[in-house]
Amino acid sequence: MLFTLPLLLAPALVAAHGAVTSYIIGGTTYPGYQGFSPVSGAQIIQRQWPDYNPIMTVTDAKMTCNGGTSAPLSATVAAGENVTAVWSQWTHQQGPVMVWMYPCESGFSACDGKSQKWFKIDQMGLFGTALNSVDWGTALVMATLEWSSKIPASLKAGDYLIRHELLALHQANTPQFYPECAQLTVTGSGTASPSGSYLTSIPAYAAQSDPGVTIDIYSSTATTYTPPGPAVWTG
Ligand SMILES: *[C@@H]1O[C@H](CO)[C@@H](O)[C@H](O)[C@H]1NC(C)=O
Ligand SMILES: [Cu+2]
């Protein structure tokens, strides 16, 4: 019987991560990609990701959209409305949730997310005072398998990528990034766009040595945590 244990454990290890697999906008569920790409002709708003292995460095090319480069559809969302990302599974309870957007001014097919135009619309890091607790944004994702964010009400109408990123910090000084992107068409009469320090590039939105990235949550005596990257732009 003992010989079978490693075989039984193996699938659980493979499954011990997660990815966004659908989106809820205004009461409509938009199926995302279920893994693992490519599925030709999948009619989805999410950019297909090849796998949900952890990304270990902030400079990895997969940081942009977990390797996803295109999707045939987009979802329409009014500025000021919420977008809810849904994970089919998630297993880590320490680290921040960060939600980003990127303008696709020339349409989605030409939109590679490679310019310095990414901005955050939402994030939650540590909401308690103990780094080794489960008072973290990703613990809320583990509990509900959802994350809801408001599209800034004043955001200029147009095409955008939305990027949900979970940064898992449960292994000391060994960050794991899990990002996925979907395509949104934002409507409304807003005219605002973030500028200056709100904008950054992905990959490499922070240094690997950033204290929000390379951190030992078990030995640190800090009582606060600052997610890496720019401040959140709320419009
Ligand atoms: C909309 O998203 C915001 C976070 O940006 C959240 O505080 C709020 O609860 C959400 N509303 C709903 C109805 O989900
Ligand atoms: Cu994992």
CSV table of all heavy atoms in Angstrom, one decimal, residues 16-17 90-92 170 176 178, ligand 2:
chain,number,residue,atom,x,y,z
A,16,ALA,N,-1.8,22.0,-7.4
A,16,ALA,CA,-1.7,22.9,-6.3
A,16,ALA,C,-1.5,24.4,-6.7
A,16,ALA,O,-0.9,25.1,-5.9
A,16,ALA,CB,-0.6,22.5,-5.4
A,17,HIS,N,-1.9,24.8,-7.8
A,17,HIS,CA,-1.9,26.2,-8.1
A,17,HIS,C,-3.3,26.7,-8.6
A,17,HIS,O,-4.2,26.2,-8.1
A,17,HIS,CB,-0.8,26.5,-9.2
A,17,HIS,CG,0.5,25.8,-9.0
A,17,HIS,ND1,1.3,26.0,-7.9
A,17,HIS,CD2,1.1,24.8,-9.7
A,17,HIS,CE1,2.4,25.3,-8.0
A,17,HIS,NE2,2.3,24.5,-9.0
A,90,TRP,N,-7.7,27.4,-6.0
A,90,TRP,CA,-6.6,28.2,-5.6
A,90,TRP,C,-6.2,27.7,-4.2
A,90,TRP,O,-7.1,27.4,-3.4
A,90,TRP,CB,-6.9,29.7,-5.5
A,90,TRP,CG,-5.8,30.6,-5.0
A,90,TRP,CD1,-5.7,31.2,-3.8
A,90,TRP,CD2,-4.5,30.7,-5.6
A,90,TRP,NE1,-4.5,31.8,-3.7
A,90,TRP,CE2,-3.7,31.5,-4.8
A,90,TRP,CE3,-4.0,30.3,-6.8
A,90,TRP,CZ2,-2.4,31.9,-5.1
A,90,TRP,CZ3,-2.7,30.6,-7.2
A,90,TRP,CH2,-1.9,31.4,-6.3
A,91,THR,N,-4.9,27.7,-3.9
A,91,THR,CA,-4.5,26.9,-2.7
A,91,THR,C,-3.5,27.7,-1.8
A,91,THR,O,-3.0,27.1,-0.8
A,91,THR,CB,-3.8,25.6,-3.1
A,91,THR,OG1,-2.8,25.9,-4.1
A,91,THR,CG2,-4.8,24.6,-3.7
A,92,HIS,N,-3.2,28.9,-2.1
A,92,HIS,CA,-2.2,29.7,-1.3
A,92,HIS,C,-2.8,30.8,-0.6
A,92,HIS,O,-3.6,31.6,-1.2
A,92,HIS,CB,-1.0,30.1,-2.1
A,92,HIS,CG,-0.4,29.0,-2.9
A,92,HIS,ND1,0.1,27.9,-2.3
A,92,HIS,CD2,-0.2,28.8,-4.3
A,92,HIS,CE1,0.6,27.1,-3.3
A,92,HIS,NE2,0.4,27.6,-4.4
A,170,HIS,N,4.2,32.1,0.2
A,170,HIS,CA,4.2,31.1,1.3
A,170,HIS,C,5.6,30.5,1.4
A,170,HIS,O,5.9,29.8,2.4
A,170,HIS,CB,3.1,30.1,1.1
A,170,HIS,CG,3.2,29.4,-0.3
A,170,HIS,ND1,2.9,30.0,-1.4
A,170,HIS,CD2,3.6,28.1,-0.6
A,170,HIS,CE1,3.1,29.2,-2.5
A,170,HIS,NE2,3.5,28.0,-2.0
A,176,GLN,N,6.0,33.5,-6.1
A,176,GLN,CA,5.3,32.8,-7.2
A,176,GLN,C,4.2,33.7,-7.7
A,176,GLN,O,3.3,34.1,-7.0
A,176,GLN,CB,4.7,31.5,-6.7
A,176,GLN,CG,5.7,30.5,-6.1
A,176,GLN,CD,5.0,29.2,-5.8
A,176,GLN,OE1,3.8,29.0,-5.9
A,176,GLN,NE2,5.7,28.2,-5.2
A,178,TYR,N,1.1,34.4,-10.5
A,178,TYR,CA,0.1,33.7,-11.3
A,178,TYR,C,-0.8,34.8,-11.9
A,178,TYR,O,-1.8,35.3,-11.3
A,178,TYR,CB,-0.8,32.8,-10.4
A,178,TYR,CG,0.0,31.7,-9.7
A,178,TYR,CD1,0.5,31.9,-8.4
A,178,TYR,CD2,0.1,30.5,-10.3
A,178,TYR,CE1,1.2,30.9,-7.8
A,178,TYR,CE2,0.8,29.5,-9.6
A,178,TYR,CZ,1.4,29.7,-8.4
A,178,TYR,OH,2.0,28.7,-7.7
B,2,CU,CU,0.8,26.8,-6.3
